[in-house]
Structure formats: C-alpha cells, structure tokens
Amino acid sequence: MSQNILVTGGTGYIGSHTIIELLNAGYNVICVDNLSNSKIEVLDRIAQLSPSEKLKFYQLDIQDRAALSQVFSENNIDAVIHFAAFKAVGESVLHPLKYYHNNIIGSLVLLEVMQKYQVKKIVFSSSAAVYGEPAATPIREDFPTFATNPYGFSKLVFEQVLDDLRKADDTWCILKLRYFNPVGAHSSGLIGEDPNGIPNNLMPYISQVAVGKCKYLNIFGNDYPTPDGTAIRDYIHVVDLAIGHLLALDYLNKHAKSLLTLNLGTGMGHSVLEVIHAFEEACGKKIPYKFVSKRSGDVAKCYADPTLANQLLSWKTQFSLLQMCCDSWNWQSKNPNGYA
Ligand code: NAD
Ligand code: WQD
C-alpha cells in the first residue's frame, strides 16, 4: 500500500517540487500550508504535473494544534516532511521574534502532535546557514555549527530539539537535511520560485532583471578572496533537492531508529559572475550589473561536501548550473508575475 506523507509548507518553492516527485512516485500526499509565503494556484499547477487525486490540501498554520491534530486523525500518516518555516535572512534580523516564534513554536507543535499520533518519522529542512562562517570548504556535516542571524539560529535550535528527542526516545527516525542554495524550477515551467516583492536571493533577482522587472543586479562585493573576487556558493537544482527527499524517505523506511544529518549540495562552488554568465547563455540576453559593497553577514565561500548523502541515500545531483539557469528562465519568462 502507498504511504501517506504529510508535507508541511507544501505549497512553497521546495515543497511544491517535492510533492510532484512524491505523487509521481506513488505516494499519497497530505499538504498543509497557511499560504503565508505561497499561493493557492500552486495546487492547480501540481495537478497538471502529477496524479492529484492522491493529494489532499489543508490550509492551516502548524501552530494551530487543534487543526493539525484533526489532519492526523483524518489521515493515517506514515511520515512527515517538514518544510514550513519563514526563510528570509534579512527579515529575521529585523524581526527575530517573528522568526523564532514561527520556526520554533510551529515545529514544536508539529512534533507534539506527531508524538500524540505515534508518527515518528520526520525529514527536516535545515540549512547551510547553520555553518555560519565556515572555517574551510567543502563543508562537512561534522564541521562546527553556528549561525550569524536569527533564521540560522532557528534551524540550529530545532536541530538540537530533534537530537534531544531522539536521545530520549530511540523509536524516532530523524533525517536533518542541510540544503545549500536551491535554484531552478520544474522543467515544465509551471512551478517555480515566486518571491514576494523585490527578491533577496541571487537567482530570482537575475531572473527579474532578465524579464525587465529590475534594471540591473547589484553584485555584493568584488574583492572576496576568490578567483574573480565575487562570492562562491553551491547552487543546487530544486528538482535534485526534491529527489533527495524521496531518497531520504526510503532511507527512513529501511533504517529504523536513525538520526542523521546530511548536506544536500552539488559539492561545486560557483561565483556570482559565473552565475550571471550562465544565465546570459540561458536567456540569450545581457544581464546588466553594478558592483556594490558586501552584504553584511555574507561569507566568501560556501559549498558542500555531499559525500555522506551520496553514499547513504544513493543520491547524486544531475543538473548543471546552465540547466538551473535555463529552468529558472523558462519559469520566469512564462510567468513574469509568478502565480499571480
Ligand atoms: P517557501 O517560503 O517557499 O515555503 C515555505 C512554506 O511554508 C510557504 O508555503 C509558507 O506559506 C509555509 N509556512 C510558513 N510558516 C508556516 C506555518 N506556520 N504553518 C503553515 N505553513 C507555513 O520556502 P522554501 O524555499 O520552499 O523553503 C522550504 C524550507 O527549506 C524552509 O524550512 C526553509 O527554511 C528551508 N531552506 C530553504 C532554502 C532556500 O534557499 N530556499 C535553503 C535552505 C533551507
Ligand atoms: C548568493 C550570492 C550574495 C543577491 C541564502 C541564505 C541561506 C539559504 C540560501 C535558507 C551571495 C550574492 C545576492 C543580489 C548578489 N537559505 N548576491 N546580489 O545568501 O548564499 O544564502 O539562501 O536557508 O541561509 O542566507 O543566497 O541567493 O542571497 O546569495 O550579489 O542581489 O549572491 O552576496 O554571494 P545566500 P543568495
């Protein structure tokens, strides 16, 4: 029988791509989202790309214990993939309480309800933000953790909660996935990243320059100790990331009592200028840019050592930087105003 997977934050960017892969792999999906950072239209798009009769949606806030309990009582849930969180680093510095409240309290309520219903398998969306300023690259999972902003700390705190829970009760199966820089979109161009307002992140900003919504890109810093002076990140295609979640579920099904932390990145670093050049190739246009001062909190180099995930999940990324840019452009050019 197909398993029933609860996906929190499932109408968001990574959640929607993961739901498509789950449905196409035969899982039943119960998606919960309060639509605080996503649009209901996503569900129609998912239905065009996967067997939507296997998808149920509940609009709710995971902090709402009664509503969440109702979902568990109506569905025989086997495992949870927990995406729901606020994720804007800059906003977390301005509004730390908002971030700690949503990301910690919401996640605690989820665990308590899971415990009540004896659902003890969870895949948690953590972030490379937990490495703070890494002492070296590539970054391994056993590197020291620290955060430079409340968003990163909210991930670190919840990782600790999961560790302590597993220590107290070894019947929990827990996989913490630390994503690097997710970009790209589904190859159909039907779903993609749809940030509210002016984008904070590089790929959506470049996409909006290419489509004419922003005039030029500000490159934050050109004197980093990197070959071209711009900062280096590990960009990973969102579909590679989504597939990582399916393999994570397989792992939890095969390994009872696991507690594992894995990097999900390609293992390759690309500079801001390299991303711009790949995007220019993808869209056939010039991307105008200006160098401005460094953004506070940015590090020179951040890329993963994904060996553990490669070995334990049999997971390997497939998409090149050029393909990530082609798919971002395909999404942005077909949906210049996102889902609106
Ligand atoms: P997203 O904002 O697109 O998706 C998150 C979804 O969660 C949204 O649909 C939002 O409406 C929902 N949500 C937020 N709080 C909620 C609550 N209390 N109750 C119900 N729904 C709620 O973000 P994303 O890029 O898809 O990220 C998914 C997860 O991955 C997040 O936990 C994020 O911190 C983590 N992550 C993201 C990145 C990235 O760069 N995108 C990198 C590393 C980790
Ligand atoms: C990438 C590079 C910028 C915008 C963030 C979070 C991290 C994780 C992934 C959630 C950097 C440069 C950017 C622009 C630029 N998210 N840049 N001009 O900061 O590596 O990671 O998303 O967990 O926690 O911090 O991603 O896309 O913002 O920046 O020059 O307009 O592009 O300086 O070097 P970042 P990003």
Side-chain angles (χ1 to χ4, degrees):
M1 249 221 342
S2 308
Q3 285 201 322
N4 299 326
I5 310 299
L6 176 73
V7 179
T8 73
T11 47
Y13 173 47
I14 305 171
S16 55
H17 287 83
T18 304
I19 286 179
I20 288 172
E21 300 302 325
L22 286 168
L23 293 171
N24 286 330
Y27 287 98
N28 300 312
V29 175
I30 299 97
C31 167
V32 300
D33 202 300
N34 62 0
L35 302 179
S36 56
N37 197 36
S38 54
K39 311 252 168 36
I40 192 77
E41 287 77 9
V42 174
L43 295 173
D44 292 334
R45 307 286 181 98
I46 291 176
Q48 293 178 51
L49 297 166
S50 47
S52 61
E53 67 283 359
K54 288 171 160 285
L55 174 64
K56 270 196 198 174
F57 175 68
Y58 294 82
Q59 183 174 345
L60 60 81
D61 193 307
I62 56 166
Q63 294 172 62
D64 182 342
R65 188 183 301 270
L68 195 58
S69 297
Q70 179 80 15
V71 174
F72 277 78
S73 71
E74 286 176 11
N75 300 278
N76 192 13
I77 290 165
D78 294 292
V80 175
I81 304 182
H82 177 34
F83 292 110
F86 292 151
K87 65 164 180 179
V89 169
E91 190 188 37
S92 80
V93 175
L94 296 175
H95 303 290
L97 297 184
K98 175 179 168 181
Y99 271 67
Y100 283 118
H101 195 94
N102 194 51
N103 294 3
I104 307 281
I105 308 285
S107 300
L108 286 177
V109 170
L110 173 68
L111 288 184
E112 286 162 2
V113 175
M114 287 177 69
Q115 189 157 44
K116 181 172 154 202
Y117 286 87
Q118 292 292 303
V119 178
K120 293 190 173 179
K121 281 186 189 148
I122 183 166
V123 178
F124 170 61
S125 301
S126 189
S127 168
V130 302
Y131 294 114
E133 198 153 339
T137 42
I139 303 169
R140 281 197 324 265
E141 290 84 351
D142 60 355
F143 277 26
T145 51
F146 185 69
T148 53
N149 53 70
Y151 166 75
F153 272 115
S154 76
K155 293 291 177 188
L156 213 41
V157 168
F158 195 65
E159 283 204 11
Q160 184 67 49
V161 170
L162 290 169
D163 290 347
D164 291 340
L165 179 62
R166 173 60 180 64
K167 251 183 240 159
D169 174 356
D170 73 1
T171 61
W172 277 85
C173 288
I174 297 171
L175 248 173
K176 298 173 276 173
L177 301 179
R178 293 176 176 163
Y179 316 150
F180 279 66
N181 288 58
V183 296
H186 192 269
S187 59
S188 62
L190 282 171
I191 61 166
E193 190 169 11
D194 182 15
N196 284 328
I198 299 165
N200 298 308
N201 299 109
L202 182 64
M203 192 66 87
Y205 204 102
I206 295 180
S207 305
Q208 297 210 359
V209 172
V211 87
K213 289 178 80 175
C214 300
K215 276 205 174 117
Y216 56 86
L217 172 78
N218 285 315
I219 298 184
F220 302 136
N222 63 349
D223 60 352
Y224 281 108
T226 60
D228 66 22
T230 64
I232 287 178
R233 296 289 181 274
D234 187 336
Y235 298 94
I236 171 169
H237 197 294
V238 65
V239 173
D240 273 331
L241 202 57
I243 290 166
H245 290 76
L246 266 68
L247 295 171
L249 282 180
D250 283 350
Y251 186 91
L252 289 186
N253 285 329
K254 286 182 194 142
H255 300 81
K257 305 186 174 189
S258 13
L259 172 67
L260 206 56
T261 307
L262 297 175
N263 286 338
L264 292 188
T266 63
M268 270 179 305
H270 291 288
S271 73
V272 176
L273 283 172
E274 283 176 321
V275 177
I276 293 174
H277 295 141
F279 204 98
E280 288 178 336
E281 194 179 336
C283 72
K285 302 180 188 195
K286 273 286 187 218
I287 304 293
Y289 61 81
K290 287 185 185 169
F291 290 116
V292 298
S293 25
K294 288 176 182 161
R295 186 170 64 177
S296 141
D298 274 355
V299 299
K301 283 193 236 168
C302 176
Y303 59 93
D305 179 341
T307 309
L308 259 189
N310 294 162
Q311 288 175 347
L312 297 178
L313 304 185
S314 305
W315 172 79
K316 220 165 174 30
T317 54
Q318 298 172 33
F319 297 100
S320 65
L321 178 64
L322 179 59
Q323 193 60 51
M324 299 178 210
C325 293
C326 287
D327 288 337
S328 292
W329 174 238
N330 185 39
W331 153 254
Q332 182 71 63
S333 54
K334 285 182 175 156
N335 307 271
N337 298 314
Y339 291 104

